């Protein structure tokens, strides 16, 4: 790895030598009110060498090193300025103020940041493409640095939003909701995210208070639009974690994108505490085609296929845990293996058109299919012992101390876990959506019908011979846990929404009102859901730039197959699955109030955002989380609430690149409606009382092509309790989740290097080095529970990945 670092540094040095004959002129083009001017023209006089400013007014212009150079700054509706610059230095920072002319046209510029005039926040897809990422998701790795969004497993693309679980987040691609596999237990099984960052054009995200058109999930919505290439483009990426190939083409009538990804996180999994042979292989292929057959109508085709194979042959594991005065060691020797296969297919055909200049119409027909197989048979022999000796232990109740005589070995045991599970899932959807825009009024409506079919075969058991677990019964061995069942479900779901957006310009500023209602009916439980939602955005006409928003609404978390799986234990002590036909959707009420303050400091744009929120839930379905698997009770048995504050400081700490810092504080509680164990209000399974995230981007002033990304995350630990124990439910708290990832990348393009202009094939290439978990934090993912000879239960932590290095190369054509 040291050689890799030296090679990367050598390439950067060579690049700086090539760039030494160039001068970099950069800065901001702003107006008299200190607002950035977008699309201003910056041109070297009497040449064709020029550029334009971005949405924040930032620009970069590269010129040949001479004694002086004249740069012309201009924009429609503003006076033109000529600047004579002395180019003795390789970098020049020039900020220019353009004054408006009397002939200035209305709505010529979009100033500063993209103002949030809905409940949806904008994400920059380009930032996600270069971010250091273990899971291979890209978009999700960027998302977890946003306020209110947390993650506790870097090998998974799943995320939690404001106290909700993974299943409460909806993802839309081109307006079609995306489904995910149901059997995945651990992050290392998960594979690649559906969304391919290479194909993305726009990303919008909301952590609450979103409109009626965005479905019924109760935590968040991620809305992604794929791009349409305007010409030929291609890229190839390769790293120690896999490869990614992409080809796109387009003209006025036909566009196409084709992408292939292969991922293996074997290198990362070797840093886990379980020693063994890891063999993960994940691949996917995705395409999008559009055909414009008339000026008003076009056809869009989407296709996706993924195959995730995970094989694991464990060998051994040794782990010390406890406190300094009471250290224990758990050593386990394994036999057996795990073999999982997850295959997913998705296809969609869409007809998009315009009835007239004000009305558009979309019709979508999509299908989702997945086959999931989970097979493992693993036997473990463990030894639990004191380290350096101690006389204090944690007793059967994990909060009571028990004193016993000192000895080295506390207990030995054997356990075996077995599963032969399979699931097939088919979802067919037909949808129609329309949009009518007239003056300052937008009306959206839509309806869909969805056919769902699932077949589930479950056969899993766990046997342990340590004290307090399996005991002989009638010349046989009673299993510690056993579940066997065969279930199937067929259902029809219909949904419809109506949403109107109105906007008024007053002397006090611009007011936008978004109101709508959503309806949902499911044949399984015959329940009709009505969800009204409303939001108000106010952009005051003050000298300082502020934006305020308020939203409230009803969000029904409509159940799917996982939620309706109720369980019972038969006379043979075998857990069976009973699909609950009376399960109702959990009901959530959102209240969100927030605002943004836009300002400039050191001529650079910044934004400070704050949001207060509360969520109340009744008719909830209780669940537990193990790694990334969510197990539901199958009953409407809880109520709960979540309140919190999200803060975000966003801006160009370094000119031309965005960075941000977020902080969130939250309290999320739940209570069982029939509180048989007298638990009262307890932490919800995903309560993380605080979280801090920072994404910082930087570059060398003399060599801006060498860029760095720092991602630092600190999240409160998740609640936990002993397995299958109601008395200890969510009473423990895992240690904080901490993560520090560093990414270095050197970009070589035609704008920065003269020798690249000679290439007619390669548009840009880059080399990069990622350091995952730079400080080597020991993050806890879950606990393995064992018993000693005295009947005490001990929780041995399962740790996540350690420090790893990743070298990557990318070429754009």
């Amino acid at each position: 790895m040291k050689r890799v670092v030296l090679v990367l540094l050598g390439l950067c040095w060579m690049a700086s030598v090539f760039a030494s004959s160039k001068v970099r002129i950069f800065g901001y083009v702003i107006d008299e009110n200190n607002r950035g001017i977008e699309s201003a023209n910056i041109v070297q006089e009497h040449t064709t060498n020029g550029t334009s400013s971005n949405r924040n007014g930032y620009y970069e212009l590269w010129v040949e090193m001479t004694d002086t150079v004249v740069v012309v700054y201009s924009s429609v509706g503003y006076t033109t300025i000529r600047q004579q610059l002395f180019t003795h230095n390789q970098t020049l920072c020039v900020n220019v103020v353009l004054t408006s002319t009397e002939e200035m046209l209305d709505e010529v510029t979009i100033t500063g940041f993209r103002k949030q005039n809905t409940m949806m926040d904008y994400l920059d897809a380009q930032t996600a493409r270069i971010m250091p990422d273990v899971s291979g998701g890209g978009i999700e790795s960027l998302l977890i640095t946003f306020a209110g969004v947390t993650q506790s497993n870097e090998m998974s693309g799943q995320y939690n939003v404001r106290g909700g679980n993974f299943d409460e987040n909806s993802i839309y691609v081109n307006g079609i909701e995306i489904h995910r596999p149901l059997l995945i237990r651990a992050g290392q099984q998960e594979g690649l995210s559906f969304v391919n960052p290479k194909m993305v054009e726009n990303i919008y995200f909301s952590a609450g208070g979103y409109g009626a058109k965005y479905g019924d999930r109760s935590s968040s919505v991620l809305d992604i639009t794929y791009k349409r290439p305007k010409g030929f483009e291609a890229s190839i990426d390769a790293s120690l974690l896999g490869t990614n190939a992409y080809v796109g083409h387009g003209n006025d009538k036909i566009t196409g994108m084709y992408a292939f990804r292969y991922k293996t996180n074997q290198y990362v999994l070797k840093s886990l505490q379980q020693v063994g042979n890891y063999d993960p292989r994940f691949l996917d292929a995705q395409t999008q085609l559009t055909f414009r057959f008339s000026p008003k109508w076009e056809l869009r085709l989407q296709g996706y296929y993924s195959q995730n194979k995970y094989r694991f042959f464990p060998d051994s594991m040794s782990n010390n845990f406890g406190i300094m005065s009471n250290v224990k060691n758990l050593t386990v020797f394994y036999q057996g293996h795990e073999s999982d296969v997850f295959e997913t297919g998705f296809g969609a055909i869409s007809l998009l058109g315009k009835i007239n200049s004000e009305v558009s119409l979309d019709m979508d027909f999509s299908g989702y299919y997945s086959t999931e197989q989970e097979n493992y048979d693993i036997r473990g022999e463990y030894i639990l012992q004191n380290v350096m000796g101690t006389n204090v232990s944690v007793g059967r109740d994990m909060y009571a101390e028990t004193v016993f005589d000192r000895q080295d070995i506390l207990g030995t045991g054997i356990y075996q876990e077995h599963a032969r599970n399979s699931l097939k899932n088919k979802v067919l959807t037909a949808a129609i959506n329309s949009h009518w825009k007239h003056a300052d009024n937008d009306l959206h409506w839509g309806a869909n019908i969805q056919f769902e079919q699932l077949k589930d075969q479950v056969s899993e058991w766990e046997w342990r011979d340590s004290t307090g677990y399996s005991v002989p019964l009638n010349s046989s061995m009673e299993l510690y846990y056993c579940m066997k069942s065969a279930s199937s479900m067929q259902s029809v779901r219909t949904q419809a929404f109506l949403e109107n957006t109105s906007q008024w310009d007053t002397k006090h500023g611009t007011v936008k009102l978004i109101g709508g209602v959503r309806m949902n009916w499911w044949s399984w439980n015959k329940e009709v859901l009505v969800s009204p939602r409303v939001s108000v955005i106010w952009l005051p006409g003050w000298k300082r730039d502020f934006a305020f928003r308020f939203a409230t609404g009803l969000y029904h978390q409509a159940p799917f197959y996982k939620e309706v799986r109720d369980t019972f234990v038969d006379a043979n002590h075998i857990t069976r699955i009973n699909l609950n036909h009376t399960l109702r959707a959990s009901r959530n009420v959102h209240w969100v109030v927030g605002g943004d303050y836009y300002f400039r400091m050191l001529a650079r744009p910044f934004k400070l955002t704050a949001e207060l929120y509360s969520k109340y839930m009744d008719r909830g379905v209780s669940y537990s989380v193990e790694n990334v698997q969510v197990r539901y009770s199958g009953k409407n048995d809880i109520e709960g609430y979540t309140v919190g504050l999200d803060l975000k400081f966003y801006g160009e700490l370094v000119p031309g690149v965005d960075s941000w810092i977020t902080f969130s504080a939250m309290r999320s509680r739940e209570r069982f409606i029939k509180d048989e164990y007298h638990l009262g209000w307890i932490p919800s399974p995903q309560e993380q009382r605080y979280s801090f995230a920072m994404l910082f981007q930087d570059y060398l002033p003399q060599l801006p092509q060498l860029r760095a990304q720092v991602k630092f995350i600190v999240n409160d630990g998740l609640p936990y309790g002993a397995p299958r124990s109601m008395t200890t439910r969510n009473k423990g708290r895992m240690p904080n989740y901490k993560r520090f990832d560093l990414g270095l990348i050197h970009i070589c393009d035609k704008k920065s290097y003269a020798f690249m202009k000679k290439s007619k094939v390669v548009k840009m290439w880059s080399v990069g080095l990622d350091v995952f978990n730079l400080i080597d934090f020991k993050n806890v993912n879950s606990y393995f529970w064992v018993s000693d000879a005295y009947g005490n239960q001990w929780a041995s932590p399962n740790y996540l990945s350690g420090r790893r290095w990743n070298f990557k190369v990318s070429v754009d054509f």
Side-chain angles (χ1 to χ4, degrees):
M1 185 55 65
K2 291 182 178 179
R3 293 182 179 178
V4 172
V5 177
L6 291 175
V7 169
L8 181 63
L9 293 176
L11 290 172
C12 294
W13 175 81
M14 291 173 61
S16 66
V17 173
F18 281 111
S20 61
S21 62
K22 289 274 192 176
V23 175
R24 173 174 168 258
I25 304 172
F26 69 98
Y28 295 89
V29 181
I30 59 179
D31 62 14
E32 309 102 303
N33 296 319
N34 206 27
R35 297 186 175 99
I37 300 176
E38 184 177 10
S39 301
N41 297 312
I42 302 95
V43 180
Q44 182 180 359
E45 193 173 46
H46 304 311
T47 71
T48 58
N49 182 28
T51 186
S52 59
S53 58
N54 66 9
R55 57 189 172 91
N56 297 321
Y58 178 79
Y59 74 93
E60 280 189 12
L61 179 66
W62 291 82
V63 300
E64 297 292 337
M65 180 173 286
T66 58
D67 291 334
T68 60
V69 64
V70 177
V71 180
V72 180
Y73 299 84
S74 64
S75 182
V76 177
Y78 294 90
T79 57
T80 299
I81 291 180
R82 296 174 68 256
Q83 288 273 15
Q84 184 175 358
L85 306 174
F86 295 94
T87 57
H88 299 303
N89 298 322
Q90 285 187 314
T91 58
L92 291 174
C93 180
V94 181
N95 297 321
V96 174
V97 178
L98 299 184
T99 58
S100 60
T101 63
E102 294 181 357
E103 296 82 12
M104 182 176 180
L105 302 177
D106 292 335
E107 300 181 359
V108 169
T109 61
I110 303 173
T111 61
F113 287 115
R114 183 191 299 260
K115 285 193 176 181
Q116 187 176 339
N117 58 1
T118 67
M119 298 305 295
M120 305 293 290
D121 199 5
Y122 175 78
L123 285 76
D124 186 1
Q126 184 60 35
T127 304
R129 296 186 186 115
I130 62 177
M131 175 172 289
D133 175 32
V134 175
S135 67
I139 304 299
E140 291 84 353
S141 294
L142 175 65
L143 200 61
I144 61 174
T145 64
F146 274 49
V149 185
T150 59
Q151 185 187 65
S152 298
N153 188 338
E154 65 274 1
M155 289 181 290
S156 169
Q158 302 304 314
Y159 51 89
N160 309 109
V161 180
R162 293 178 174 175
N165 68 37
F166 315 131
D167 297 328
E168 296 173 8
N169 305 316
S170 58
I171 300 178
Y172 290 83
V173 174
N174 292 335
I176 301 174
E177 187 172 6
I178 304 302
H179 302 270
R180 60 183 292 267
L182 302 177
L183 288 184
I184 290 178
R185 293 173 180 258
Q188 52 263 42
Q189 300 172 329
E190 195 168 295
L192 293 155
S193 165
F194 179 93
V195 181
N196 190 323
K198 293 284 186 179
M199 305 174 71
V200 171
E201 181 176 23
N202 291 318
I203 310 172
Y204 291 92
F205 174 76
S206 176
Y210 37 90
K213 68 178 181 180
Y214 283 120
D216 292 298
R217 299 189 186 268
S218 59
S219 282
S220 74
V221 59
L222 181 65
D223 188 4
I224 294 173
T225 304
Y226 277 1
K227 62 184 178 182
R228 302 181 181 186
K230 298 180 181 180
F232 178 80
E233 56 187 35
S235 66
I236 297 177
D237 302 340
S239 74
L240 298 179
L241 302 182
T243 60
N244 183 356
Y246 162 80
V247 175
H249 63 85
N251 54 40
D252 293 338
K253 292 187 177 181
I254 300 176
T255 69
M257 291 191 295
Y258 319 90
F260 171 82
R261 292 183 293 178
Y262 172 77
K263 171 192 170 184
T264 173
N265 55 359
Q266 183 181 47
Y267 169 65
V268 175
L269 295 178
K270 287 182 178 179
S271 66
L272 299 179
Q273 66 191 64
Q274 275 189 317
V275 179
N277 181 18
Y278 293 91
D279 185 19
R281 301 179 184 181
F282 313 123
L283 61 87
D284 73 0
Q286 193 165 174
T287 184
Q288 175 182 281
L289 301 170
T290 63
F291 304 91
R292 181 174 292 276
F293 52 86
S294 76
K296 293 185 177 181
W297 293 91
E298 69 177 33
L299 188 69
R300 182 178 64 207
L301 304 176
Q302 290 177 255
Y304 172 84
Y305 171 78
S306 73
Q307 183 187 77
N308 299 334
K309 292 185 176 181
Y310 176 78
R311 301 182 69 194
F312 177 43
F313 296 84
D315 180 71
S316 63
M317 184 273 290
S318 181
N319 179 38
N320 292 334
F321 61 95
I323 59 177
M324 292 298 294
S325 60
N326 185 16
V327 182
K328 302 293 183 290
N329 174 268
L330 176 67
T331 300
V332 186
F333 299 95
Y334 298 101
Q335 291 179 334
H337 74 283
E338 177 179 358
S339 179
D340 307 320
V341 179
F342 303 90
E343 287 188 284
T344 301
F346 169 81
I349 179 170
S350 303
L351 182 63
L352 315 173
K354 289 187 175 182
I355 306 299
N356 53 48
S357 60
E358 295 183 340
V359 180
S360 62
L361 182 69
D362 301 343
M363 290 180 285
D364 303 309
F365 303 91
S366 62
Y368 171 85
Y369 176 77
S370 70
T371 59
E372 308 172 34
Q373 296 181 358
E374 183 183 46
N375 303 299
Y376 56 83
D377 197 347
I378 297 176
R379 178 187 177 97
E381 301 182 16
Y382 69 83
I383 301 174
L384 179 66
Q385 55 191 336
N386 284 318
V387 177
M388 303 302 293
T390 182
N391 64 347
V392 179
S393 74
V394 178
R396 183 182 303 275
D397 185 325
M398 62 182 175
Y399 303 103
E401 292 188 349
T402 303
V403 180
F404 57 91
D405 295 333
R406 173 181 175 179
Q407 60 182 30
D408 290 334
I409 297 180
L410 299 176
T412 62
I414 301 174
Y415 76 93
Q416 185 170 354
E417 295 178 339
H418 171 94
R420 295 292 184 270
N421 300 331
S422 65
L423 185 144
K424 293 183 179 180
N425 182 12
K426 299 178 183 178
V427 180
L428 299 176
T429 306
I432 182 170
N433 293 275
S434 182
H435 176 212
W436 174 58
K437 181 175 177 59
H438 179 72
D440 292 330
N441 193 82
D442 289 351
L443 180 65
H444 290 255
W445 67 269
N448 67 52
I449 183 169
Q450 183 170 288
F451 302 90
E452 305 156 349
Q453 182 181 38
L454 294 99
K455 292 184 178 180
D456 187 19
Q457 297 280 342
V458 178
S459 176
E460 59 184 46
W461 51 261
E462 185 177 348
W463 169 77
R464 301 192 181 198
D465 77 340
S466 55
T467 303
Y469 287 96
S470 304
V471 294
L473 180 65
N474 298 328
S475 302
S476 63
M477 187 67 74
E478 181 182 358
L479 296 175
Y480 168 59
Y481 164 74
C482 179
M483 176 182 285
K484 291 182 180 294
S485 187
S487 307
S488 63
M489 184 180 79
Q490 290 184 337
S491 60
V492 178
R493 194 186 306 264
T494 60
Q495 303 175 71
F497 75 89
L498 179 68
E499 183 176 272
N500 185 73
T501 301
S502 299
Q503 181 173 310
W504 302 274
D505 292 323
T506 70
K507 63 179 182 179
H508 299 293
T510 300
V511 178
K512 178 179 284 189
L513 175 65
I514 305 173
V517 62
R518 186 173 188 88
M519 300 185 66
N520 186 319
W521 176 80
W522 194 26
S523 65
W524 182 261
N525 57 9
K526 306 297 190 295
E527 184 179 22
V528 178
L529 305 173
V530 180
S531 305
R533 301 169 192 175
V534 63
S535 60
V536 180
I537 294 90
W538 177 38
L539 305 177
W542 302 342
K543 184 176 181 180
R544 295 183 180 273
D545 284 341
F546 283 89
F548 300 98
R549 54 188 171 272
F550 167 79
T552 185
L554 195 59
Y555 297 81
H556 289 95
Q557 178 73 25
F560 196 51
Y561 175 70
K562 289 170 64 176
E563 289 90 333
V564 302
R565 291 197 345 170
D566 193 3
T567 58
F568 67 95
V569 180
D570 64 14
N572 296 319
H573 305 285
I574 297 176
T575 301
R576 303 289 185 180
I577 294 177
N578 175 48
L579 301 185
N580 187 355
H581 281 270
T582 63
L583 186 74
R584 296 185 294 171
S586 65
R587 186 166 49 194
N588 299 262
V589 179
H590 287 200
W591 297 87
V592 182
V593 58
D596 304 318
Y597 172 43
Y598 303 84
F599 62 97
R600 282 187 176 263
M601 185 169 59
L602 302 176
R604 303 170 194 169
F606 292 91
K607 180 176 73 170
L608 180 62
T609 297
E611 278 194 356
L612 281 167
Y613 63 89
S614 69
K615 297 190 288 186
Y616 173 75
M617 173 194 65
D618 66 350
R619 307 192 322 195
V621 182
S622 63
Y623 63 90
S624 59
V625 181
E626 178 70 18
N627 203 312
V628 298
Q629 185 181 51
V630 181
R631 286 183 178 263
Y632 294 91
S633 66
K635 305 179 183 69
N636 296 113
D637 53 0
I638 61 169
E639 61 179 344
Y641 69 88
T642 302
V643 294
L645 170 67
D646 290 342
L647 300 173
K648 182 177 180 180
F649 178 70
Y650 183 100
E652 296 186 2
L653 298 176
V654 177
V657 291
D658 295 330
S659 301
W660 55 85
I661 299 172
T662 63
F663 175 78
S664 299
M666 175 184 65
R667 180 180 177 89
S668 182
R669 298 282 157 154
E670 65 181 21
R671 179 174 63 182
F672 283 87
I673 297 173
K674 295 181 179 180
D675 195 358
E676 299 174 357
Y677 296 91
H678 307 289
L679 299 177
W681 288 100
I682 59 175
S684 66
Q686 300 293 347
E687 182 196 52
Q688 291 177 287
R689 296 165 297 183
Y690 59 86
S691 63
F692 171 86
M694 179 184 71
L695 179 69
F696 176 69
Q697 301 186 86
D698 197 3
Y699 56 81
L700 294 177
Q702 302 296 332
L703 187 62
Q705 298 80 21
L706 180 60
R707 300 201 168 195
Q709 272 195 344
V710 174
K711 184 172 70 173
F712 179 49
I713 295 173
V714 178
N715 296 332
D716 185 28
L718 291 169
Y720 75 97
R724 304 178 184 91
S725 170
M726 285 299 298
T727 58
T728 63
R729 177 180 172 88
N730 298 343
K731 288 190 175 180
R733 181 75 63 170
M734 294 184 187
N736 294 344
Y737 178 84
K738 301 178 290 293
R739 188 83 183 174
F740 189 100
D741 294 335
L742 172 65
L744 298 173
I745 186 171
H746 181 267
I747 300 173
C748 186
D749 56 17
K750 295 182 179 181
K751 179 179 69 174
S752 308
Y753 297 102
F755 73 92
M756 285 292 296
K757 295 181 180 180
K758 299 178 182 179
S759 174
K760 297 182 179 180
V761 177
V762 178
K763 181 170 62 176
M764 183 203 75
W765 59 268
S766 65
V767 292
L769 178 68
D770 295 334
V771 187
F772 305 128
N773 198 2
L774 177 65
I775 306 180
D776 202 21
F777 291 119
K778 302 297 183 183
N779 292 311
V780 177
N781 182 36
S782 59
Y783 289 93
F784 178 75
W785 291 80
V786 296
S787 291
D788 61 20
Y790 302 91
N792 302 313
Q793 280 192 334
W794 298 88
S796 174
N798 297 316
Y799 292 106
L800 289 163
S801 61
R803 183 190 299 117
R804 278 294 184 260
W805 304 70
N806 181 39
F807 178 71
K808 57 187 181 182
V809 179
S810 178
V811 182
D812 289 359
F813 303 95

